Amino acid sequence: MKTFLIALRLFLVMTLITGILYPLVVTGIGQGLFAKQANGSVLKGAQNQVIGSELLAQKFDSVIYFQARPSACDYGTVASGASNKGPTSEALQKSVQERRTAFRASNNLAATQGVSQNVPAEMAFASGSGLDPHISPEAARMQIARIVAARSFDTKRSEALNNLVERSVEQPQFGIFGNARVNVLRLNLALNGL
Amino acid sequence: MQPHDYLQLALYFGLLLVCTPLLGGFMATVFNGEKTWLSPVIAPLERLTYRVSGIDSVEEMSWKRYAASLLAFNLFGFLAVFGLMLLQNVLPLNPQGVNGTSVYLAFNTAVSFMTNTNWQAYSGEAALSYATQMLGLGVQNFVSAATGIAVIVAMARGIARRQASSLGNFWVDLTRATLYILLPLSLLLAIVLISQGVVQSFDSYVQATTLEGRSQMIPLGPAASQIAIKQLGTNGGGFFGVNSAHPFENPTPFSNFLQVFAILLIPAALTVTYGKLIGSAKQGWTIFAAMLTVLVVVLGVSLWSETQYNPVMQTAQQMEGKEQRFGVANSILWQMTTTVASNGSVNSMHDSSSPLAGGMALLNMMLGEVIFGGVGAGMYGMLMFVVLTVFIAGLMVGRTPEYLGKKIEAFEVQMAMIAILAPSAVILIGTMIAVLIPQGLNSLNNQGPHGFSEILYAFTSAAGNNGSAFAGLTVDTPFYNIALGFGMLIGRFGVILPALAIAGSMVTKKYTPPSLGTFPTDTPLFVMLLIAVILIVGALTFFPALSLGPIVEHLLMNAGRAF
């Protein structure tokens, strides 16, 4: 009985320390030092309206925007999700073929890049979170011609778009960690400003 | 694999080699009750904890008292999570107004977090209130990890002490593990993670209107504080459903590196802690060497497998379920560390990885979660295999086996066998039942051999207290919630209790000084023998099951078959 009483009291003390004090201290420091990140890295528009988070992908199906990676949960945030289809899944095989065909057609890859040009893997496969905000630099470059045509850009603005895409490429962090990538939402926001 | 991927792997293992003795030595000091550089800050908090809880910090416990205290403490952890989940709709800190969960899910989740498994049959952002996350899951992240550390410390004392009867004080070991080790490291990691973009806020979700005019909810919550401890304590339960693939949980490649490093940090350091506590750091390094060797091999096989051409998908770049910022190399490094270490967090969807990489993840867990393993749990699990190895070596040379001067007798071997066989039985019997009944099969997300792997993975993850999943399987059902819940209980306490019993038996024994006939347990030969025993036990038990899942899927994939 004494053991149970000590166990209960110690459990309550631990709950106070690790369940209440610890998250409160972290929140205090986090909100103080890194308020933007702690609150979801929110991006706001001209009228201070919330457009989204730079860390969360948005759905772009209009031809005038760069497309994000496919999402198995249709870019849902509550809850997020993945396909969890395996390497021998017929359903995944079909989705991948359809996505490749669609990407090829909408960006006219045969004409702009040559017939044998492969669709970048991340544009054919859905991400783990369903909210992957990035695509590869290649996948961004392949979409430039479509956007130039859809927005009827002249040579000067299409040159500006080329430059914008190159400026948007994030190299592996500190030269070591992760892949080169482009943040699609930030790129599209900048694109609207061209 | 690009050049900087190799550089990162080298950095990862280099840093692990540097931090293992530093943290390992520090932890040994803490559990010897000596003063550390953190004492001026922590010692007053520690004394206050004892006073408020009514703990006599110099009291010594027999193995039975130690085990009873551990079980009593864990019972309250279970009850707290269970109650919070059922009642979260009427409790505060619920800005999204989520409902109480089903009894089955509450049972499963409470067991899951008490046992350091963190199997998730729910999606945090949709099903749990902030109160449940912080007061329930967050607390268990700390104390379930501290429980594991306490057990290995008690075992070390059982081996080191001679003709004694007690193993130390569970309350003190648990408190010290939490206050001196887990809490400071978590605080540090949480703040760095926020700087990278992990959210930490008590506000309700933010409503956004996207560039194309759709509405999007931006979820928030006290995530960073929980993610730091979920990695350091080998818990692995994500704040969000997709775990560390979620950009709010793991926003940058650097946050990814820190998290994947945090997975192995404490389990690796505990090898040195153990060595110091038994008075020979070399014994600890021997076990570290065996663990590292196995990890490097499974990592190599998985990286190879994941970069092979898949004729079904017509590519060698398997990006399904992976994030662009991490890519294949980081996803596989994580997949291997999280499954050897009984962590269970994921930064890519294991269900979608290549057959052999998924198979290696399964194998890592089937080996008993002793390759680094859970904090504490990996080390005491490994000692079961050490006992077995010493016993087998003793049989080979026809001498009474002994480990560190203590005779290994029938009782120790019996207990070690229970600890090794109990989780294996859960995996094989559980999978067998699930594939025979509709309640098991209706949950499948994939067909063919991959479907079998999904079920096998679920029971393996539960028995190994890992918590990662082939997440396509729908597991929030009464059958899986109950079956996997009991699997986790057996996988946890079916090892802890035999481990403490061995400690209780060893502590009473006389010390016999090493002689010419003693089989040394700190040599490369012992490393090889230990690895061989682990692999042979694992292979004999699970090769048939692995053949029906990942191995046959690999062969069929290469033949271009889809299901």
Side-chain angles (χ1 to χ4, degrees), chain A residues 22 69 77 83 85 132 173, chain B residues 217 225 254 320 322 324:
Chain A
Y22 162 70
R69 289 188 62 185
T77 53
S83 77
K85 290 295 179 194
D132 190 343
Q173 208 171 1
Chain B
M217 274 292 206
S225 52
F254 182 56
E320 183 71 17
K322 295 188 180 67
Q324 174 65 25

Side-chain angles (χ1 to χ4, degrees), chain A residues 2-31 33-35 37-43 49-53 55-65 69 72 75 77-94 96-97 99-100 119-122 124-138 172-182 185 188-189 192, chain B residues 2 4 7-8 11 45 49 51-55 65 68-69 72-73 75-77 80 123 125-126 134-135 139-140 142-143 171 174-175 178-179 183 186-187 190-191 194-203 205-212 214 216-220 224-226 228-229 241-242 245-248 251-255 257 310 312-315 317-327 330 349 351-355 445-446 450 454 471-472 553 557 561-563:
Chain A
K2 186 168 158 256
T3 303
F4 274 94
L5 272 180
I6 294 179
L8 177 60
R9 283 156 73 177
L10 182 60
F11 180 72
L12 292 177
V13 174
M14 286 295 153
T15 301
L16 180 70
I17 295 175
T18 64
I20 297 174
L21 293 180
Y22 162 70
L24 285 181
V25 169
V26 172
T27 308
I29 299 175
Q31 291 285 344
L33 294 179
F34 310 107
Q37 292 94 317
N39 294 312
S41 306
V42 164
L43 293 172
Q49 83 281 21
V50 177
I51 294 171
S53 162
L55 293 176
L56 303 183
Q58 298 189 350
K59 183 171 182 170
F60 289 105
D61 56 9
S62 156
V63 288
I64 62 165
Y65 284 121
R69 289 188 62 185
Y75 307 91
T77 53
V78 186
S80 47
S83 77
N84 281 303
K85 290 295 179 194
T88 53
S89 158
E90 211 160 49
L92 179 60
Q93 185 183 39
K94 192 160 157 278
V96 166
Q97 278 163 358
R99 286 177 193 141
R100 284 191 182 126
V119 174
E122 81 277 8
F125 290 107
S127 63
S129 60
L131 295 169
D132 190 343
H134 298 109
I135 57 177
S136 68
E138 296 73 37
Q173 208 171 1
F174 311 132
I176 302 180
F177 303 122
N179 275 350
R181 60 209 185 278
V182 173
L185 176 56
N188 281 332
L189 271 172
N192 278 349
Chain B
Q2 303 163 56
H4 71 261
L7 201 61
Q8 189 195 315
L11 184 69
L45 187 61
T49 303
R51 197 172 322 133
V52 176
S53 316
I55 292 166
R65 277 273 339 262
S69 307
F73 184 84
L75 176 69
F76 287 109
S123 221
E125 64 270 44
M134 276 168 59
L135 295 172
V139 173
Q140 285 306 306
F142 279 95
V143 296
W171 314 124
L174 179 107
T175 305
T178 308
L179 298 184
L183 203 54
S186 300
L187 193 61
I191 289 162
I194 296 175
S195 80
Q196 295 297 302
V198 179
V199 294
Q200 178 76 21
S201 155
F202 288 98
D203 289 340
Y205 298 179
V206 176
Q207 177 79 45
T209 305
T210 69
L211 269 190
E212 288 196 345
R214 297 182 182 86
Q216 185 189 42
M217 274 292 206
I218 301 178
L220 292 172
S225 52
Q226 196 145 317
I229 181 62
V242 292
H246 198 293
F248 276 176
T252 66
F254 182 56
S255 72
F257 182 82
N310 175 348
V312 178
M313 304 300 164
Q314 296 174 342
T315 180
Q317 275 182 295
Q318 324 246 13
M319 283 299 284
E320 183 71 17
K322 295 188 180 67
E323 300 285 293
Q324 174 65 25
R325 62 193 179 284
F326 307 143
N330 273 313
M349 297 303 126
D351 213 344
S352 299
S353 59
S354 64
N445 177 51
N446 282 279
H450 200 79
E454 282 186 334
E553 189 189 15
M557 179 189 83
R561 276 287 302 275
F563 297 90

Side-chain angles (χ1 to χ4, degrees), chain B residues 261-330:
Chain B
F261 183 69
I263 291 177
L264 285 194
L265 177 63
I266 297 179
L270 276 169
T271 58
V272 169
T273 308
Y274 168 77
K276 296 223 166 195
L277 290 177
I278 59 166
S280 161
K282 205 175 164 202
Q283 296 283 348
W285 281 113
T286 311
I287 290 173
F288 178 89
M291 293 173 165
L292 189 67
T293 309
V294 177
L295 173 59
V296 168
V297 172
V298 294
L299 180 63
V301 173
S302 301
L303 281 171
W304 171 81
S305 164
E306 200 67 11
T307 45
Q308 295 306 298
Y309 183 75
N310 175 348
V312 178
M313 304 300 164
Q314 296 174 342
T315 180
Q317 275 182 295
Q318 324 246 13
M319 283 299 284
E320 183 71 17
K322 295 188 180 67
E323 300 285 293
Q324 174 65 25
R325 62 193 179 284
F326 307 143
V328 172
N330 273 313

Side-chain angles (χ1 to χ4, degrees), chain B residues 336-357:
Chain B
M336 289 305 109
T337 51
T338 194
T339 47
V340 292
S342 179
N343 180 290
S345 63
V346 298
N347 75 344
S348 71
M349 297 303 126
H350 294 187
D351 213 344
S352 299
S353 59
S354 64
L356 293 186

Side-chain angles (χ1 to χ4, degrees), chain B residues 111 147 197 222 227 264 309 410 432 442 450 459 522 545:
Chain B
V111 168
T147 299
I227 291 157
L264 285 194
Y309 183 75
M432 180 191 77
N442 290 343
H450 200 79
F459 283 95
D522 55 0

